[in-house]
Amino acid sequence: MALIVQKYGGSSVADAESIKRVAKRIVETRKGGNEVVVAVSAMGDTTDELLDLAHDVTPIPAPRELDMLLTAGERISMALLAMAIRSMGYDARSFTGSQAGMITDAQHGAARIVDVTPGRIRDALDEGAIAIVAGFQGFNRDTKDITTLGRGGSDTTAVALAAALNAEICEIYTDVDGVFTADPRVVPMARKIDRITSEEMLELAAAGAKVLYIRAVEYARRHGVTLHVRSSFNNNEGTLVLHENAARAAKQEDGSTVEEPIIAGVATDLSEAKITVVGVPDVPGKAAQIFKIVAKTDANVDMIVQNVSAASTGLTDISFTLPKSEGQRVLTALKAEQGDVGFQNLQYDDQIGKLALVGAGMRTNSGVSAKLFEALYEAGINIEMISTSEIRISVVTRADSVNEAARVVHRAFGLDGDATAIVYAGTGR
Ligand code: ASP
Ligand code: MG
């Protein structure tokens, strides 16, 4: 008997009909002779609606109470789902995060899982029941308070349960068919990926691919949990996200001799801005000084580029990208220390787009960057910044050319499918 963890996102349980449809799917899995644990998100846009409601009451809701409020969303869906399953003649029991043993640190709104003690889930399974667990929530042992894991946290709940219960697989049900080589709304010829390594998935998620949350992928990678991202609206196979070692073993097992693609996919991101610190004295310690100021604001800096200094002035420019939402905060902090650092001025540019090309095959294939730059050149797209990791190349372009950039790069690397990808109305959550 295999233990399967299934996670259903908000769009899969948006209304009573959807809940009944999902219940059927869960029962089918149970009938197949499996033990089933389900992590469920709040129905549809419930979390957003609860957040709006809180902000209608007060501009700055108390974090403890906000978590109390938001966790109610998952309580609704878990209970309804358990009822629907029971009405089909199968035993199902719902559990809050705290009942399921999701122990977190005390940070409201962004708690981290520190331990999982799923004794009650194990007991329910042993008694033949299907366990339904509220996603996105946990409990802190010191404060004895309810916490939430941050937006999209139900993915992490599912992965953590799968790890703690030693599940065979963690299925993430959403409203798209899996992970695509690019966002089909940007690149119509995008293809569904059958298999991807967790390492590549992490880079794609970090570069803006929204189908899976980065923390869930990290958790899965650390604990060797295999993910299957698939649609709850059909029975198609989705995308397997495997640890590299598992991917290698699976490849040997099915005797496949097909060469793995060099590139897994392309991601774009329009949520970042660029700050340029102009006229920085080119002497030791200046970058340290600047980024210490930036670090104090807790900003998430991504790419950093320093120019060669002009010999005549001994001054250089340092540019970096960061989320637009953090831009003003960082500008203010830098401005306050301008005299001390001794730079000339600050430039802020929120009209940038970022494109990332990801693939483990980059390690062993040369010429990937040349091909990328060539494709952009042929499309007349200017590159403003470049950064690389072992398995990723990212470039910054003007915001209004990044989608075109994604399409030409997708084509240049032979990622285009035979037909236009089907895009559902959903958001991928
Ligand atoms: N309901 C929460 C949210 O919308 C958690 C989740 O859906 O994963 O962020
Ligand atoms: Mg949701």
Side-chain angles (χ1 to χ4, degrees):
M1 205 193 294
L3 195 160
I4 296 180
V5 173
Q6 301 187 327
K7 180 261 175 174
Y8 291 93
S11 57
S12 296
V13 291
D15 50 30
E17 273 322 301
S18 310
I19 288 177
K20 286 195 255 180
R21 183 175 50 83
V22 162
K24 245 188 238 153
R25 196 183 262 278
I26 294 167
V27 165
E28 286 307 317
T29 311
R30 180 76 187 87
K31 275 190 196 158
N34 304 294
E35 293 183 312
V36 190
V37 176
V38 175
V40 69
S41 292
M43 295 169 69
D45 296 326
T46 302
T47 309
D48 289 314
E49 287 159 13
L50 291 173
L51 266 174
D52 287 347
L53 193 56
H55 285 99
D56 286 345
V57 170
T58 166
I60 308 173
R64 178 187 184 278
E65 303 312 323
L66 193 57
D67 275 358
M68 227 31 159
L69 178 72
L70 295 186
T71 51
E74 271 73 10
R75 252 194 202 231
I76 296 172
S77 52
M78 73 175 193
L80 291 171
L81 193 51
M83 284 175 204
I85 295 170
R86 293 185 80 106
S87 78
M88 297 169 71
Y90 282 78
D91 190 4
R93 297 173 210 171
S94 62
F95 297 92
T96 62
S98 110
Q99 288 176 321
M102 304 295 305
I103 311 299
T104 71
D105 64 16
Q107 211 193 329
H108 288 295
R112 296 226 159 225
I113 297 168
V114 294
D115 196 10
V116 185
T117 54
R120 292 191 66 183
I121 305 300
R122 192 58 262 172
D123 290 348
L125 294 174
D126 290 345
E127 288 162 25
I130 294 164
I132 314 286
V133 179
F136 166 65
Q137 53 181 266
F139 174 77
N140 179 259
R141 279 179 177 139
D142 303 323
T143 61
K144 308 230 179 322
D145 278 330
I146 302 294
T147 55
T148 61
L149 309 177
R151 296 309 303 272
S154 301
D155 285 357
T156 318
T157 303
V159 174
L161 284 167
L165 293 163
N166 238 322
E168 180 121 329
I169 195 147
C170 180
E171 299 179 333
I172 307 281
Y173 284 95
T174 176
D175 56 7
V176 294
D177 277 344
V179 181
F180 280 71
T181 50
D183 182 341
R185 282 160 293 199
V186 174
V187 182
M189 300 308 273
R191 274 186 295 116
K192 192 203 77 193
I193 300 171
D194 294 333
R195 238 186 230 176
I196 188 170
T197 64
S198 50
E199 184 189 33
E200 290 169 315
M201 192 62 235
L202 268 182
E203 288 277 12
L204 279 178
K210 286 181 192 68
V211 64
L212 276 177
Y213 276 83
I214 226 175
R215 276 175 62 182
V217 183
E218 272 167 359
Y219 203 105
R221 180 171 168 73
R222 210 169 334 117
H223 292 85
V225 174
T226 298
L227 303 176
H228 185 183
V229 184
R230 59 193 305 194
S231 169
S232 74
F233 296 86
N234 60 44
N235 282 312
N236 302 344
E237 288 287 308
T239 303
L240 283 180
V241 184
L242 299 153
H243 194 279
E244 293 84 85
N245 302 338
R248 219 169 292 133
K251 200 175 147 193
Q252 270 162 10
E253 214 169 279
D254 66 21
S256 72
T257 47
V258 203
E259 274 233 42
E260 290 297 319
I262 297 169
I263 301 302
V266 176
T268 53
D269 188 354
L270 282 164
S271 69
E272 300 241 313
K274 177 171 77 174
I275 290 179
T276 302
V277 189
V278 180
V280 181
D282 194 5
V283 296
K286 286 299 163 188
Q289 217 178 343
I290 288 168
F291 287 99
K292 224 181 267 167
I293 298 166
V294 176
K296 269 203 208 123
T297 67
D298 264 337
N300 289 296
V301 170
D302 183 22
M303 287 190 201
I304 303 175
V305 170
Q306 177 178 327
N307 292 328
V308 183
S309 63
S312 56
T313 59
L315 297 176
T316 183
D317 297 342
I318 296 179
S319 299
F320 57 92
T321 62
L322 78 179
K324 278 178 190 163
S325 56
E326 296 171 353
Q328 285 313 320
R329 198 164 80 222
V330 173
L331 285 173
T332 309
L334 284 169
K335 193 90 203 141
E337 310 276 347
Q338 179 170 5
D340 218 32
V341 183
F343 61 83
Q344 289 176 328
N345 60 64
L346 295 169
Q347 281 171 4
Y348 185 63
D349 180 356
D350 61 2
Q351 292 303 306
I352 62 163
K354 221 173 58 187
L355 174 143
L357 185 68
V358 173
M362 280 183 202
R363 283 205 186 91
T364 44
N365 284 272
S366 54
V368 174
S369 32
K371 194 165 174 173
L372 166 66
F373 302 153
E374 180 78 18
L376 294 175
Y377 160 66
E378 277 168 9
I381 296 168
N382 189 41
I383 302 170
E384 300 181 14
M385 288 169 98
I386 302 168
S387 91
T388 61
S389 84
E390 250 196 315
I391 65 163
R392 172 187 51 77
I393 307 172
S394 303
V395 297
V396 165
T397 66
R398 281 297 86 204
D400 57 13
S401 43
V402 75
N403 287 350
E404 174 66 5
R407 287 188 285 270
V408 301
V409 168
H410 197 268
R411 194 176 320 129
F413 282 91
L415 295 173
D416 279 5
D418 304 327
T420 307
I422 303 158
V423 183
Y424 302 99
T427 57
R429 294 309 311 147

